[in-house]
Amino acid sequence: MTENYTPTWMVNAIYQLIPAQLEAQGVKAVLTDLDNTLIAWNNPDGTEQLHAWLEEMDAAKIPVVIVSNNSAERIARVALPLKLPFVSRALKPLTNGLAEATTKLGLTKEDVVMVGDQLLTDIWAANNFGTRSVLVKPLIETDQWNTKINRFFEKGVKKNMLKQHPELIWRESIDN
């Protein structure tokens, strides 16, 4: 019952994904949610840690693409200064946004990983698309009003998923 929501990996933060480990898994690009995954929803400028991680990905030639259900205007406020491509109104958990991002990159679903902080949108979209996924802890404990609704329903799903998959634990990387 929870297979639709089960991530490939659970990592504390997106910044813990390092190029060598991604490359070892055959990952050529990172598709990422925006709010509470890449940035705190209330900090559109991001942190020094984000900027350092993006530089590391760029140096390794691993593209990072934002795939978000947000509007283009909301995403552009973050993506343009960071020089990141993005897909807006991705309609996750549908696969439209992931397909668009993968096509733009000229890659296949086997070449990418979807990273997000929500089982009911990000991870479900990745599983619907047939790509690997990384669930991360939300960067901050507060959410926008619309995400609070998802979090309410997600609690029960997550509890059942972890019961069915005791091997899924929070890790420092996708390597350990």
Side-chain angles (χ1 to χ4, degrees), residues 3-33:
E3 295 310 307
N4 288 337
Y5 314 106
T6 302
T8 310
W9 298 283
M10 291 178 17
V11 176
N12 292 321
I14 194 170
Y15 316 125
Q16 293 175 314
L17 299 176
I18 60 171
Q21 292 171 356
L22 293 168
E23 290 166 351
Q25 295 291 337
V27 173
K28 297 178 182 170
V30 174
L31 310 182
T32 179
D33 181 47

Coordinates of all heavy atoms in Angstrom, one line a residue, residues 3-33:
E3 N 3.9 1.5 -1.3 CA 5.0 1.5 -2.3 C 5.1 2.7 -3.1 O 6.1 3.1 -3.6 CB 4.8 0.2 -3.2 CG 5.0 -1.1 -2.4 CD 6.3 -1.1 -1.6 OE1 7.4 -0.9 -2.1 OE2 6.2 -1.5 -0.4
N4 N 3.9 3.3 -3.4 CA 3.9 4.6 -4.2 C 4.7 5.7 -3.5 O 5.1 6.6 -4.2 CB 2.5 5.0 -4.5 CG 1.7 4.2 -5.4 OD1 2.3 3.5 -6.3 ND2 0.4 4.2 -5.4
Y5 N 4.8 5.6 -2.2 CA 5.4 6.7 -1.4 C 6.8 6.4 -0.9 O 7.3 7.1 -0.1 CB 4.5 7.1 -0.3 CG 3.0 7.2 -0.7 CD1 2.1 6.2 -0.4 CD2 2.6 8.3 -1.5 CE1 0.8 6.4 -0.8 CE2 1.3 8.4 -1.9 CZ 0.4 7.4 -1.5 OH -0.9 7.6 -1.9
T6 N 7.3 5.2 -1.2 CA 8.6 4.7 -0.7 C 9.7 5.3 -1.4 O 9.9 5.0 -2.6 CB 8.6 3.2 -0.6 OG1 7.5 2.8 0.2 CG2 9.9 2.7 0.0
P7 N 10.6 6.1 -0.8 CA 11.8 6.6 -1.5 C 12.9 5.5 -1.7 O 12.9 4.5 -0.9 CB 12.3 7.7 -0.6 CG 11.9 7.3 0.8 CD 10.6 6.5 0.6
T8 N 13.8 5.8 -2.6 CA 15.0 4.9 -2.7 C 15.9 5.1 -1.5 O 16.4 4.1 -1.0 CB 15.7 5.2 -4.0 OG1 14.8 5.3 -5.1 CG2 16.8 4.2 -4.3
W9 N 16.1 6.4 -1.2 CA 17.0 6.7 0.0 C 16.3 7.8 0.8 O 15.5 8.5 0.3 CB 18.3 7.3 -0.5 CG 19.1 6.4 -1.3 CD1 19.9 5.3 -0.9 CD2 19.3 6.4 -2.8 NE1 20.5 4.7 -2.0 CE2 20.2 5.4 -3.1 CE3 18.8 7.2 -3.8 CZ2 20.6 5.1 -4.4 CZ3 19.2 7.0 -5.1 CH2 20.1 6.0 -5.4
M10 N 16.7 7.8 2.1 CA 16.3 8.9 3.0 C 17.6 9.5 3.5 O 18.4 8.9 4.2 CB 15.4 8.4 4.1 CG 14.1 7.9 3.7 SD 12.9 7.2 4.9 CE 13.5 7.7 6.5
V11 N 17.8 10.8 3.2 CA 19.0 11.5 3.5 C 18.6 12.8 4.3 O 17.6 13.4 4.0 CB 19.9 11.9 2.3 CG1 21.1 12.7 2.6 CG2 20.3 10.6 1.6
N12 N 19.4 13.1 5.3 CA 19.1 14.3 6.1 C 18.8 15.6 5.3 O 17.9 16.3 5.6 CB 20.1 14.5 7.2 CG 20.1 13.4 8.2 OD1 19.1 12.9 8.6 ND2 21.3 13.0 8.6
A13 N 19.7 15.9 4.4 CA 19.6 17.1 3.6 C 20.1 16.9 2.2 O 21.0 16.1 2.0 CB 20.3 18.2 4.3
I14 N 19.6 17.7 1.2 CA 20.1 17.6 -0.1 C 21.6 17.9 -0.2 O 22.3 17.3 -1.1 CB 19.3 18.5 -1.1 CG1 19.5 18.2 -2.5 CG2 19.5 20.0 -0.7 CD1 18.6 18.9 -3.5
Y15 N 22.1 18.7 0.7 CA 23.5 19.1 0.6 C 24.4 17.9 0.9 O 25.6 18.0 0.7 CB 23.8 20.2 1.6 CG 22.7 21.3 1.6 CD1 22.1 21.7 2.7 CD2 22.4 22.0 0.4 CE1 21.1 22.7 2.7 CE2 21.4 23.0 0.4 CZ 20.8 23.3 1.5 OH 19.8 24.3 1.5
Q16 N 23.9 16.8 1.4 CA 24.7 15.7 1.7 C 24.9 14.7 0.5 O 25.6 13.7 0.6 CB 24.1 14.9 2.9 CG 24.2 15.7 4.2 CD 23.5 15.0 5.3 OE1 22.4 14.6 5.2 NE2 24.2 15.0 6.5
L17 N 24.2 15.1 -0.6 CA 24.4 14.3 -1.9 C 25.7 14.8 -2.5 O 25.7 16.0 -2.9 CB 23.2 14.5 -2.8 CG 21.9 14.0 -2.3 CD1 20.8 14.4 -3.3 CD2 21.9 12.6 -2.0
I18 N 26.6 14.0 -2.6 CA 27.9 14.4 -3.2 C 28.1 13.8 -4.6 O 27.7 12.7 -4.8 CB 29.1 14.2 -2.3 CG1 29.3 12.7 -1.9 CG2 28.9 15.0 -1.0 CD1 30.5 12.4 -1.2
P19 N 28.8 14.5 -5.4 CA 29.0 14.0 -6.8 C 29.5 12.6 -7.0 O 28.9 11.8 -7.7 CB 30.0 15.0 -7.4 CG 29.7 16.3 -6.7 CD 29.4 15.8 -5.3
A20 N 30.5 12.2 -6.2 CA 31.1 10.8 -6.4 C 30.0 9.8 -6.1 O 30.0 8.8 -6.8 CB 32.3 10.7 -5.5
Q21 N 29.2 10.0 -5.1 CA 28.2 9.0 -4.7 C 27.1 9.0 -5.8 O 26.6 7.9 -6.1 CB 27.6 9.3 -3.4 CG 28.6 9.1 -2.3 CD 28.1 9.6 -0.9 OE1 27.1 10.1 -0.8 NE2 28.9 9.3 0.1
L22 N 26.7 10.1 -6.3 CA 25.7 10.2 -7.4 C 26.2 9.5 -8.6 O 25.5 8.7 -9.2 CB 25.3 11.7 -7.7 CG 24.6 12.4 -6.6 CD1 24.5 13.9 -6.9 CD2 23.2 11.8 -6.4
E23 N 27.5 9.8 -9.0 CA 28.0 9.2 -10.2 C 28.1 7.6 -10.0 O 27.9 6.9 -10.9 CB 29.4 9.8 -10.4 CG 29.3 11.2 -10.9 CD 30.6 12.0 -10.9 OE1 31.6 11.5 -10.4 OE2 30.7 13.1 -11.5
A24 N 28.5 7.2 -8.8 CA 28.5 5.7 -8.5 C 27.2 5.1 -8.7 O 27.1 3.9 -9.0 CB 29.1 5.5 -7.1
Q25 N 26.1 5.8 -8.5 CA 24.8 5.3 -8.7 C 24.2 5.5 -10.1 O 23.1 5.2 -10.4 CB 23.8 5.9 -7.7 CG 24.1 5.6 -6.2 CD 23.8 4.2 -5.9 OE1 23.1 3.5 -6.5 NE2 24.5 3.7 -4.9
G26 N 25.1 6.1 -11.0 CA 24.7 6.4 -12.4 C 23.8 7.6 -12.5 O 23.1 7.8 -13.5
V27 N 23.8 8.5 -11.5 CA 23.0 9.7 -11.6 C 23.7 10.7 -12.3 O 24.8 11.1 -12.0 CB 22.6 10.2 -10.1 CG1 21.9 11.5 -10.2 CG2 21.8 9.1 -9.4
K28 N 23.1 11.3 -13.4 CA 23.7 12.3 -14.2 C 23.1 13.7 -14.0 O 23.7 14.7 -14.4 CB 23.6 11.9 -15.7 CG 24.3 10.6 -16.0 CD 24.1 10.3 -17.5 CE 24.8 9.0 -17.8 NZ 24.5 8.4 -19.1
A29 N 22.0 13.7 -13.3 CA 21.3 15.0 -13.0 C 20.4 14.9 -11.7 O 19.9 13.8 -11.5 CB 20.5 15.5 -14.1
V30 N 20.3 16.0 -11.0 CA 19.4 16.0 -9.8 C 18.2 16.9 -10.1 O 18.4 18.1 -10.5 CB 20.2 16.6 -8.6 CG1 19.3 16.8 -7.4 CG2 21.4 15.7 -8.2
L31 N 17.0 16.3 -10.0 CA 15.8 17.1 -10.0 C 15.4 17.3 -8.6 O 15.4 16.4 -7.8 CB 14.7 16.3 -10.8 CG 15.1 15.7 -12.1 CD1 13.8 15.0 -12.7 CD2 15.6 16.7 -13.1
T32 N 15.1 18.6 -8.3 CA 14.8 18.9 -6.9 C 13.6 19.7 -6.7 O 13.3 20.6 -7.5 CB 16.0 19.6 -6.2 OG1 15.7 19.9 -4.8 CG2 16.4 20.9 -6.9
D33 N 12.9 19.4 -5.6 CA 11.8 20.3 -5.2 C 12.4 21.6 -4.7 O 13.6 21.7 -4.5 CB 11.0 19.6 -4.0 CG 9.9 20.4 -3.5 OD1 9.1 20.9 -4.3 OD2 9.7 20.5 -2.3

